Amino acid sequence: FVESKTAPRRRGAQKRKKIHQVNSHKFMARFFRQPTFCSHCGQFIWGFGKQGYQCQVCGMVLHKRCHGEVISECPGTKGKEKQAAKNDAELSQRFNINMPHRFKSHSYR
């Protein structure tokens, strides 16, 4: 038995896609099949392979060179954050842990 010095193979493992977060946008590199224009500069997005980035939440499309210059917040994440905070507050009221027990002491003699 000879031990190999190469890295182990990742059989069946899926490759994670890199997500770039800018101002709560979640940009992922994407190949565009049809003519697309940048939401930041308004120019045509062209090239081979993955030409630009698209936000997974709101769908904003940008050049790779423009994704770092985004000023606007992602409109899709604001509602989700507020809803999550509201749900947390509601659950903390419904399930209050600081409640005294109401057990009756009982002897079985």
Side-chain angles (χ1 to χ4, degrees), residues 14-82:
Q14 293 182 355
K15 187 176 180 181
R16 284 191 166 187
K17 297 180 180 178
K18 294 180 183 173
I19 297 174
H20 304 274
Q21 289 191 329
V22 179
N23 286 347
S24 71
H25 286 281
K26 295 181 180 179
F27 291 114
M28 190 170 67
R30 178 146 183 255
F31 170 73
F32 300 105
R33 299 185 195 286
Q34 60 188 19
T36 309
F37 293 89
C38 178
S39 298
H40 181 71
C41 67
Q43 293 180 357
F44 181 67
I45 299 176
W46 61 277
F48 296 107
K50 296 183 178 178
Q51 305 104 327
Y53 288 118
Q54 184 174 22
C55 179
Q56 292 179 324
V57 181
C58 67
M60 180 184 246
V61 178
L62 302 167
H63 286 108
K64 286 189 173 184
R65 65 176 180 257
C66 294
H67 91 278
E69 302 171 7
V70 176
I71 300 169
S72 64
E73 293 284 328
C74 185
T77 56
K78 287 182 182 178
K80 290 180 183 178
E81 289 173 0
K82 287 180 182 178

Side-chain angles (χ1 to χ4, degrees), residues 78-92:
K78 287 182 182 178
K80 290 180 183 178
E81 289 173 0
K82 287 180 182 178
Q83 185 68 22
K86 183 180 175 184
N87 287 344
D88 289 344
E90 185 178 307
L91 285 174
S92 66

